[in-house]
Amino acid sequence: MYILPSIKSSTIDIIFRPSRFVQSRINTYSDSLKDKTKILIKLSLIFALNLILYSVPLTLSGIATVEAVPNPPAIFTSNFGPVFESPVEVWDFLYQLSVNAGFLIAASVTALVSYHAGVVFLRESEGILQSLHTIIYTSSIYLAGAFTLTWIASTADQIRFADDIIIHYQKQFIYFFIDLTDSGLDLPGGRPSPVPTSNITIEGQIIIFGLILMGLYFMYSLYLGARINHDMDRSDAILMLVFVTLSPAIYIIGSIIYSVNII
Amino acid sequence: MDEFEPSIKVIIIKIGLTVGIAIATLSLFALNPGLVGGGDLANILFAVAAFIFALAILRLLIKAVILSKTTYIVTPSKLRLEYSLLYKTRTREIPLKQLRGMELKQDRVQAALGFGTLVFLTGGMNQSLGFIEFENIERADNVRDRIRSQRN
């Protein structure tokens, strides 16, 4: 008798046992296409549920991740006008919800591609489902948590300073590669000026604390996913992590080359 | 029937090592805040490091409590794990004739102290019922050989 692996996990594992949280509960998923499809559906449902849990409260809380919502298309108002009292508000909500969810989807897909590419590159792949399992679990919690904190930092006035620090380090990271490639490009707003690291409000400190923690948990869970789900040894798992960490660098360098040579 | 308990000596040593590393790292951060950005940023990184160490120590302490309440039993026909803590009990057993493989694991601390962890598999699944683990047992290789001869 073949038993489909359980993909349940407890909340306590998220903090105390990320190894149990990311592990796919079975060394190798079944070879049967039917079972693989079942697992794929299960994982997709988990991701969809987590996406809702992440994006709905974020949208309802009114954190403005969208600067301006376009007017609803005529087909929307004509169809939903009789159903809802205020179809424009519903449109605004759905638009912001899809944008909020879109950020997490894009980040998760990017993480999955770079993670699985790293695993395949190291010739240690136990299958895409193992990578999918790792990414869905890690991004649903740690990445979603980091995104939520970043949105809060960028919108709440009392922690605006924390946002300045986050943007400062993002810009410094990009300028590192601009200088490395000697491309002479400039980001909007120019080179970042030093941000004083004192006088951060308590709320801001909590946000940065949470962000660093989420980032560390995310990377550690990817490492554990490689070790447990792809049965990698320590050095290969670290190499895979380097590969994932370098992927934003590859993306930035690619964008610089594109901007200089093609645009 | 052999009955034995896992040692918590290994966990205590690991707690000691973690505390030592935590003190060294946190002292380094506290004495040289410039190393990690200075200002409030240094305080935040200090808090992150302290949180991670506290979590690691807490996890080891929980593991020590769980292991101290665990018993491993080897009968002529079964391998059995029993755990009981605050009215919560858990037993898991696998028949010897269904045993497909055994794995002996030793990390550095276990190897230095002469302990090991034996993993018994019946179906190859990580967390399924076909999986049982005897953690931190003394002379794990002897126990493995005894079980192997019992099975044959």
Side-chain angles (χ1 to χ4, degrees):
Chain A
M1 184 181 67
Y2 176 75
I3 304 163
L4 273 177
S6 159
I7 46 181
K8 280 189 292 181
S9 205
S10 73
T11 318
I12 200 112
D13 292 343
I14 296 168
I15 301 164
F16 281 100
R17 290 175 296 205
S19 58
R20 199 166 281 188
F21 179 62
V22 295
Q23 89 176 22
S24 57
R25 303 289 193 275
I26 190 168
N27 286 334
T28 310
Y29 282 124
S30 163
D31 283 335
S32 117
L33 188 64
K34 194 178 152 195
D35 288 340
K36 280 183 176 176
T37 313
K38 274 186 191 169
I39 290 290
L40 184 66
I41 292 168
K42 265 189 178 183
L43 289 173
S44 307
L45 287 174
I46 289 170
F47 186 64
L49 180 71
N50 283 309
L51 206 59
I52 292 167
L53 288 175
Y54 155 76
S55 51
V56 171
L58 191 69
T59 312
L60 284 174
S61 67
I63 291 175
T65 53
V66 183
E67 297 226 332
V69 178
N71 289 327
I75 191 164
F76 183 87
T77 35
S78 61
N79 282 318
F80 293 99
V83 184
F84 299 109
E85 203 175 306
S86 175
V88 177
E89 275 181 24
V90 176
W91 165 259
D92 282 0
F93 175 77
L94 290 176
Y95 187 86
Q96 293 199 25
L97 184 77
S98 55
V99 171
N100 287 340
F103 281 117
L104 187 63
I105 294 171
S108 304
V109 170
T110 311
L112 175 67
V113 170
S114 55
Y115 179 81
H116 196 65
V119 169
V120 171
F121 179 73
L122 291 164
R123 308 178 82 171
E124 295 277 1
S125 175
E126 294 277 340
I128 182 83
L129 282 180
Q130 304 280 11
S131 296
L132 194 65
H133 183 106
T134 309
I135 295 297
I136 282 179
Y137 273 70
T138 52
S139 63
S140 297
I141 299 296
Y142 307 124
L143 217 52
F147 272 33
T148 309
L149 291 175
T150 310
W151 290 127
I152 294 170
S154 65
T155 49
D157 283 340
Q158 70 273 30
I159 42 179
R160 187 74 79 175
F161 200 65
D163 187 42
D164 291 345
I165 290 177
I166 297 166
I167 293 170
H168 172 78
Y169 281 109
Q170 282 173 346
K171 277 190 166 182
Q172 261 200 342
F173 183 70
I174 297 170
Y175 266 105
F176 172 79
F177 293 103
I178 290 175
D179 293 341
L180 195 73
T181 52
D182 205 16
S183 61
L185 288 173
D186 247 332
L187 291 175
R191 206 168 270 276
S193 42
V195 179
T197 54
S198 37
N199 304 325
I200 308 175
T201 60
I202 290 293
E203 293 91 340
Q205 289 188 31
I206 293 169
I207 293 284
I208 296 175
F209 171 85
L211 267 176
I212 295 171
L213 212 59
M214 291 286 174
L216 289 175
Y217 262 110
F218 180 64
M219 297 309 278
Y220 183 54
S221 302
L222 291 185
Y223 166 81
L224 290 172
R227 292 271 289 149
I228 301 164
N229 296 340
H230 287 288
D231 213 12
M232 282 185 176
D233 61 29
R234 201 168 278 144
S235 54
D236 277 347
I238 291 170
L239 267 179
M240 190 282 309
L241 213 56
V242 170
F243 193 87
V244 173
T245 317
L246 282 180
S247 58
I250 295 166
Y251 174 75
I252 292 167
I253 292 171
S255 303
I256 292 170
I257 293 168
Y258 179 79
S259 307
V260 170
N261 297 316
I262 298 171
I263 295 176
Chain B
M1 188 176 83
D2 287 335
E3 193 175 312
F4 43 101
E5 271 148 25
S7 166
I8 58 164
K9 214 186 273 181
V10 174
I11 308 285
I12 290 168
I13 301 266
K14 282 182 181 174
I15 292 173
L17 285 172
T18 312
V19 170
I21 295 168
I23 290 170
T25 312
L26 296 177
S27 307
L28 189 73
F29 277 20
L31 295 172
N32 306 286
L35 266 181
V36 282
D40 289 340
L41 210 56
N43 294 337
I44 297 167
L45 289 172
F46 182 90
V48 170
F51 181 83
I52 290 170
F53 282 122
L55 213 62
I57 292 164
L58 185 65
R59 207 186 135 174
L60 286 168
L61 285 170
I62 293 170
K63 196 168 183 181
V65 173
I66 291 173
L67 282 184
S68 70
K69 302 286 174 190
T70 303
T71 309
Y72 304 130
I73 300 159
V74 180
T75 73
S77 60
K78 282 175 195 157
L79 298 173
R80 187 175 165 89
L81 177 152
E82 286 178 0
Y83 155 75
S84 175
L85 177 69
L86 299 170
Y87 307 108
K88 186 183 171 187
T89 56
R90 189 185 129 200
T91 58
R92 179 179 275 201
E93 61 179 40
I94 53 174
L96 270 180
K97 62 179 176 189
Q98 281 182 18
L99 192 63
R100 291 222 187 133
M102 282 187 275
E103 185 187 359
L104 171 61
K105 296 192 292 191
Q106 273 186 312
D107 61 29
R108 285 178 188 90
V109 178
Q110 284 177 320
L113 297 172
F115 292 92
T117 296
L118 273 176
V119 186
F120 306 97
L121 296 158
T122 57
M125 293 180 187
N126 285 346
Q127 289 293 307
S128 72
L129 283 171
F131 167 85
I132 202 167
E133 198 173 69
F134 286 4
E135 238 178 306
N136 292 339
I137 50 172
E138 214 168 351
R139 288 189 289 277
D141 48 348
N142 285 354
V143 177
R144 179 196 56 191
D145 294 343
R146 217 158 53 227
I147 293 169
R148 191 181 281 155
S149 61
Q150 230 169 289
R151 193 170 55 135
N152 293 331

PDB file of all heavy atoms in Angstrom, chain A residues 153-172:
ATOM      1  N   ALA A 153       6.651  49.161   7.136  1.00  0.00           N
ATOM      2  CA  ALA A 153       7.745  50.134   7.268  1.00  0.00           C
ATOM      3  C   ALA A 153       7.617  51.269   6.261  1.00  0.00           C
ATOM      4  O   ALA A 153       7.975  52.410   6.543  1.00  0.00           O
ATOM      5  CB  ALA A 153       9.083  49.433   7.087  1.00  0.00           C
ATOM      6  N   SER A 154       7.097  50.954   5.078  1.00  0.00           N
ATOM      7  CA  SER A 154       7.053  51.980   4.035  1.00  0.00           C
ATOM      8  C   SER A 154       5.840  52.892   4.175  1.00  0.00           C
ATOM      9  O   SER A 154       5.766  53.914   3.520  1.00  0.00           O
ATOM     10  CB  SER A 154       7.050  51.326   2.652  1.00  0.00           C
ATOM     11  OG  SER A 154       5.865  50.590   2.495  1.00  0.00           O
ATOM     12  N   THR A 155       4.888  52.530   5.020  1.00  0.00           N
ATOM     13  CA  THR A 155       3.670  53.337   5.077  1.00  0.00           C
ATOM     14  C   THR A 155       3.414  54.014   6.429  1.00  0.00           C
ATOM     15  O   THR A 155       2.856  55.102   6.462  1.00  0.00           O
ATOM     16  CB  THR A 155       2.435  52.485   4.728  1.00  0.00           C
ATOM     17  OG1 THR A 155       2.481  51.304   5.501  1.00  0.00           O
ATOM     18  CG2 THR A 155       2.412  52.121   3.263  1.00  0.00           C
ATOM     19  N   ALA A 156       3.808  53.366   7.527  1.00  0.00           N
ATOM     20  CA  ALA A 156       3.525  53.972   8.840  1.00  0.00           C
ATOM     21  C   ALA A 156       4.511  55.115   9.105  1.00  0.00           C
ATOM     22  O   ALA A 156       5.719  54.933   8.976  1.00  0.00           O
ATOM     23  CB  ALA A 156       3.628  52.910   9.920  1.00  0.00           C
ATOM     24  N   ASP A 157       3.968  56.269   9.452  1.00  0.00           N
ATOM     25  CA  ASP A 157       4.809  57.459   9.608  1.00  0.00           C
ATOM     26  C   ASP A 157       5.879  57.305  10.686  1.00  0.00           C
ATOM     27  O   ASP A 157       7.009  57.725  10.511  1.00  0.00           O
ATOM     28  CB  ASP A 157       3.925  58.674   9.957  1.00  0.00           C
ATOM     29  CG  ASP A 157       3.221  59.195   8.712  1.00  0.00           C
ATOM     30  OD1 ASP A 157       3.705  58.875   7.605  1.00  0.00           O
ATOM     31  OD2 ASP A 157       2.190  59.879   8.853  1.00  0.00           O
ATOM     32  N   GLN A 158       5.488  56.701  11.803  1.00  0.00           N
ATOM     33  CA  GLN A 158       6.432  56.638  12.927  1.00  0.00           C
ATOM     34  C   GLN A 158       7.618  55.701  12.668  1.00  0.00           C
ATOM     35  O   GLN A 158       8.579  55.709  13.411  1.00  0.00           O
ATOM     36  CB  GLN A 158       5.721  56.253  14.240  1.00  0.00           C
ATOM     37  CG  GLN A 158       5.225  54.831  14.347  1.00  0.00           C
ATOM     38  CD  GLN A 158       3.829  54.666  13.775  1.00  0.00           C
ATOM     39  OE1 GLN A 158       3.418  55.370  12.859  1.00  0.00           O
ATOM     40  NE2 GLN A 158       3.075  53.718  14.315  1.00  0.00           N
ATOM     41  N   ILE A 159       7.512  54.904  11.580  1.00  0.00           N
ATOM     42  CA  ILE A 159       8.648  54.023  11.291  1.00  0.00           C
ATOM     43  C   ILE A 159       9.203  54.283   9.899  1.00  0.00           C
ATOM     44  O   ILE A 159       9.868  53.447   9.321  1.00  0.00           O
ATOM     45  CB  ILE A 159       8.277  52.529  11.472  1.00  0.00           C
ATOM     46  CG1 ILE A 159       6.905  52.258  10.908  1.00  0.00           C
ATOM     47  CG2 ILE A 159       8.376  52.106  12.910  1.00  0.00           C
ATOM     48  CD1 ILE A 159       6.502  50.812  11.036  1.00  0.00           C
ATOM     49  N   ARG A 160       8.925  55.462   9.415  1.00  0.00           N
ATOM     50  CA  ARG A 160       9.432  55.849   8.095  1.00  0.00           C
ATOM     51  C   ARG A 160      10.960  55.748   8.055  1.00  0.00           C
ATOM     52  O   ARG A 160      11.553  55.414   7.039  1.00  0.00           O
ATOM     53  CB  ARG A 160       8.973  57.284   7.800  1.00  0.00           C
ATOM     54  CG  ARG A 160       9.265  57.770   6.415  1.00  0.00           C
ATOM     55  CD  ARG A 160       8.365  57.153   5.406  1.00  0.00           C
ATOM     56  NE  ARG A 160       7.058  57.774   5.366  1.00  0.00           N
ATOM     57  CZ  ARG A 160       6.133  57.456   4.477  1.00  0.00           C
ATOM     58  NH1 ARG A 160       6.375  56.527   3.590  1.00  0.00           N
ATOM     59  NH2 ARG A 160       4.970  58.024   4.479  1.00  0.00           N
ATOM     60  N   PHE A 161      11.589  56.026   9.197  1.00  0.00           N
ATOM     61  CA  PHE A 161      13.037  56.019   9.262  1.00  0.00           C
ATOM     62  C   PHE A 161      13.608  54.623   8.975  1.00  0.00           C
ATOM     63  O   PHE A 161      14.636  54.481   8.327  1.00  0.00           O
ATOM     64  CB  PHE A 161      13.463  56.501  10.646  1.00  0.00           C
ATOM     65  CG  PHE A 161      14.864  56.986  10.685  1.00  0.00           C
ATOM     66  CD1 PHE A 161      15.234  58.121   9.962  1.00  0.00           C
ATOM     67  CD2 PHE A 161      15.816  56.317  11.416  1.00  0.00           C
ATOM     68  CE1 PHE A 161      16.546  58.559   9.982  1.00  0.00           C
ATOM     69  CE2 PHE A 161      17.123  56.751  11.444  1.00  0.00           C
ATOM     70  CZ  PHE A 161      17.486  57.887  10.727  1.00  0.00           C
ATOM     71  N   ALA A 162      12.890  53.610   9.463  1.00  0.00           N
ATOM     72  CA  ALA A 162      13.316  52.223   9.209  1.00  0.00           C
ATOM     73  C   ALA A 162      13.262  51.944   7.721  1.00  0.00           C
ATOM     74  O   ALA A 162      14.130  51.277   7.160  1.00  0.00           O
ATOM     75  CB  ALA A 162      12.411  51.261   9.967  1.00  0.00           C
ATOM     76  N   ASP A 163      12.232  52.508   7.068  1.00  0.00           N
ATOM     77  CA  ASP A 163      12.085  52.342   5.625  1.00  0.00           C
ATOM     78  C   ASP A 163      13.264  52.977   4.895  1.00  0.00           C
ATOM     79  O   ASP A 163      13.797  52.423   3.933  1.00  0.00           O
ATOM     80  CB  ASP A 163      10.757  52.982   5.198  1.00  0.00           C
ATOM     81  CG  ASP A 163      10.449  52.713   3.743  1.00  0.00           C
ATOM     82  OD1 ASP A 163      10.677  51.571   3.324  1.00  0.00           O
ATOM     83  OD2 ASP A 163       9.995  53.631   3.040  1.00  0.00           O
ATOM     84  N   ASP A 164      13.706  54.176   5.378  1.00  0.00           N
ATOM     85  CA  ASP A 164      14.862  54.846   4.756  1.00  0.00           C
ATOM     86  C   ASP A 164      16.092  53.946   4.806  1.00  0.00           C
ATOM     87  O   ASP A 164      16.863  53.870   3.845  1.00  0.00           O
ATOM     88  CB  ASP A 164      15.177  56.154   5.500  1.00  0.00           C
ATOM     89  CG  ASP A 164      14.085  57.196   5.284  1.00  0.00           C
ATOM     90  OD1 ASP A 164      13.277  57.003   4.350  1.00  0.00           O
ATOM     91  OD2 ASP A 164      14.030  58.173   6.048  1.00  0.00           O
ATOM     92  N   ILE A 165      16.262  53.273   5.935  1.00  0.00           N
ATOM     93  CA  ILE A 165      17.436  52.387   6.078  1.00  0.00           C
ATOM     94  C   ILE A 165      17.328  51.207   5.105  1.00  0.00           C
ATOM     95  O   ILE A 165      18.299  50.847   4.440  1.00  0.00           O
ATOM     96  CB  ILE A 165      17.549  51.895   7.546  1.00  0.00           C
ATOM     97  CG1 ILE A 165      17.947  53.087   8.416  1.00  0.00           C
ATOM     98  CG2 ILE A 165      18.578  50.783   7.678  1.00  0.00           C
ATOM     99  CD1 ILE A 165      18.028  52.780   9.881  1.00  0.00           C
ATOM    100  N   ILE A 166      16.113  50.634   4.997  1.00  0.00           N
ATOM    101  CA  ILE A 166      15.923  49.497   4.085  1.00  0.00           C
ATOM    102  C   ILE A 166      16.232  49.928   2.647  1.00  0.00           C
ATOM    103  O   ILE A 166      16.984  49.257   1.931  1.00  0.00           O
ATOM    104  CB  ILE A 166      14.474  48.946   4.190  1.00  0.00           C
ATOM    105  CG1 ILE A 166      14.216  48.400   5.599  1.00  0.00           C
ATOM    106  CG2 ILE A 166      14.232  47.846   3.163  1.00  0.00           C
ATOM    107  CD1 ILE A 166      12.743  48.145   5.913  1.00  0.00           C
ATOM    108  N   ILE A 167      15.680  51.096   2.249  1.00  0.00           N
ATOM    109  CA  ILE A 167      15.912  51.587   0.882  1.00  0.00           C
ATOM    110  C   ILE A 167      17.394  51.906   0.670  1.00  0.00           C
ATOM    111  O   ILE A 167      17.956  51.599  -0.374  1.00  0.00           O
ATOM    112  CB  ILE A 167      15.026  52.829   0.595  1.00  0.00           C
ATOM    113  CG1 ILE A 167      13.556  52.385   0.571  1.00  0.00           C
ATOM    114  CG2 ILE A 167      15.404  53.498  -0.715  1.00  0.00           C
ATOM    115  CD1 ILE A 167      12.557  53.504   0.537  1.00  0.00           C
ATOM    116  N   HIS A 168      18.020  52.480   1.710  1.00  0.00           N
ATOM    117  CA  HIS A 168      19.439  52.816   1.624  1.00  0.00           C
ATOM    118  C   HIS A 168      20.276  51.570   1.298  1.00  0.00           C
ATOM    119  O   HIS A 168      21.114  51.599   0.390  1.00  0.00           O
ATOM    120  CB  HIS A 168      19.895  53.424   2.953  1.00  0.00           C
ATOM    121  CG  HIS A 168      21.375  53.629   3.049  1.00  0.00           C
ATOM    122  ND1 HIS A 168      22.013  54.690   2.444  1.00  0.00           N
ATOM    123  CD2 HIS A 168      22.348  52.893   3.645  1.00  0.00           C
ATOM    124  CE1 HIS A 168      23.313  54.595   2.674  1.00  0.00           C
ATOM    125  NE2 HIS A 168      23.534  53.515   3.410  1.00  0.00           N
ATOM    126  N   TYR A 169      20.015  50.475   2.010  1.00  0.00           N
ATOM    127  CA  TYR A 169      20.811  49.264   1.784  1.00  0.00           C
ATOM    128  C   TYR A 169      20.471  48.612   0.436  1.00  0.00           C
ATOM    129  O   TYR A 169      21.353  48.051  -0.217  1.00  0.00           O
ATOM    130  CB  TYR A 169      20.632  48.273   2.945  1.00  0.00           C
ATOM    131  CG  TYR A 169      21.477  48.691   4.130  1.00  0.00           C
ATOM    132  CD1 TYR A 169      20.901  49.194   5.292  1.00  0.00           C
ATOM    133  CD2 TYR A 169      22.863  48.632   4.077  1.00  0.00           C
ATOM    134  CE1 TYR A 169      21.671  49.612   6.369  1.00  0.00           C
ATOM    135  CE2 TYR A 169      23.649  49.050   5.140  1.00  0.00           C
ATOM    136  CZ  TYR A 169      23.051  49.536   6.283  1.00  0.00           C
ATOM    137  OH  TYR A 169      23.834  49.958   7.334  1.00  0.00           O
ATOM    138  N   GLN A 170      19.203  48.728   0.000  1.00  0.00           N
ATOM    139  CA  GLN A 170      18.838  48.200  -1.325  1.00  0.00           C
ATOM    140  C   GLN A 170      19.601  48.955  -2.415  1.00  0.00           C
ATOM    141  O   GLN A 170      20.160  48.359  -3.334  1.00  0.00           O
ATOM    142  CB  GLN A 170      17.329  48.365  -1.560  1.00  0.00           C
ATOM    143  CG  GLN A 170      16.494  47.323  -0.838  1.00  0.00           C
ATOM    144  CD  GLN A 170      15.006  47.626  -0.950  1.00  0.00           C
ATOM    145  OE1 GLN A 170      14.593  48.708  -1.333  1.00  0.00           O
ATOM    146  NE2 GLN A 170      14.194  46.652  -0.589  1.00  0.00           N
ATOM    147  N   LYS A 171      19.619  50.289  -2.269  1.00  0.00           N
ATOM    148  CA  LYS A 171      20.306  51.113  -3.271  1.00  0.00           C
ATOM    149  C   LYS A 171      21.809  50.840  -3.272  1.00  0.00           C
ATOM    150  O   LYS A 171      22.427  50.736  -4.328  1.00  0.00           O
ATOM    151  CB  LYS A 171      20.052  52.598  -2.981  1.00  0.00           C
ATOM    152  CG  LYS A 171      18.734  53.111  -3.520  1.00  0.00           C
ATOM    153  CD  LYS A 171      18.703  54.620  -3.401  1.00  0.00           C
ATOM    154  CE  LYS A 171      17.566  55.212  -4.217  1.00  0.00           C
ATOM    155  NZ  LYS A 171      17.558  56.680  -4.156  1.00  0.00           N
ATOM    156  N   GLN A 172      22.366  50.703  -2.074  1.00  0.00           N
ATOM    157  CA  GLN A 172      23.806  50.424  -1.968  1.00  0.00           C
ATOM    158  C   GLN A 172      24.147  49.114  -2.661  1.00  0.00           C
ATOM    159  O   GLN A 172      25.169  49.013  -3.336  1.00  0.00           O
ATOM    160  CB  GLN A 172      24.185  50.336  -0.490  1.00  0.00           C
ATOM    161  CG  GLN A 172      24.785  51.612   0.036  1.00  0.00           C
ATOM    162  CD  GLN A 172      25.573  51.376   1.312  1.00  0.00           C
ATOM    163  OE1 GLN A 172      25.401  50.358   1.970  1.00  0.00           O
ATOM    164  NE2 GLN A 172      26.420  52.308   1.658  1.00  0.00           N
TER     165      GLN A 172
END
